[in-house]
Amino acid sequence: QGRLVESGGGSVQSGGSLRLSCTGSAYSTACMGWFRQAPGKEDEKVAEMDGDGKTRYAGSVLGRFTIAMDNAKNTLYLEMNSLKPEDTARYYCRAGTENPTGRTPCVFFDDTNYVGQGTQVTVSS
């Protein structure tokens, strides 16, 4: 089992909802984020959150997705509502540290130990 493990993916119809979870020994109470990889596309940072609650979302999911951290449970969540076919992707979590520049909440670790394997989300029209 990896040091970060995601769950909650699945297949839903357009307009549906899913809640993803990420937990593991590599969880960082300082900063966590959700990314996604769709076939033929570059990885996209979907949402990130630091330990102070500062969040940042990709424009494509703003208003539909909500990121949350439960540091008592070392678990990261992504609530996804009003799902669209273009949200279809493998979603994975990453751990990081707070960005000292403040331009974004997080700086993510490149070490693969801090990257989950992902969970597939498929949205049909």
Side-chain angles (χ1 to χ4, degrees), residues 17-86:
S17 299
L18 284 172
R19 187 193 196 201
L20 306 183
S21 299
C22 164
T23 190
S25 61
Y27 181 92
S28 171
T29 57
C31 256
M32 292 292 295
W34 286 100
F35 293 71
R36 66 186 179 186
Q37 183 182 45
K41 295 185 178 180
E42 293 187 359
D43 287 22
E44 179 184 20
K45 184 167 59 177
V46 175
E48 60 186 302
M49 186 172 188
D50 70 14
D52 294 325
K54 184 178 178 181
T55 60
R56 182 182 177 97
Y57 295 90
S60 57
V61 307
L62 191 62
R64 300 188 298 121
F65 290 11
T66 302
I67 189 171
M69 294 171 70
D70 186 339
N71 288 340
K73 297 181 179 180
N74 279 5
T75 302
L76 175 73
Y77 301 100
L78 185 68
E79 187 76 35
M80 305 188 295
N81 297 313
S82 302
L83 282 162
K84 305 174 181 179
E86 50 263 45

Side-chain angles (χ1 to χ4, degrees), residues 88-124:
T88 295
R90 179 177 64 88
Y91 286 72
Y92 61 98
C93 59
R94 291 182 66 177
T97 189
E98 290 190 18
N99 189 342
T101 70
R103 286 196 291 267
T104 61
C106 303
V107 174
F108 292 96
F109 303 132
D110 290 328
D111 190 324
T112 55
N113 285 319
Y114 297 95
V115 182
Q117 291 296 308
T119 185
Q120 179 67 34
V121 172
T122 302
V123 185
S124 58

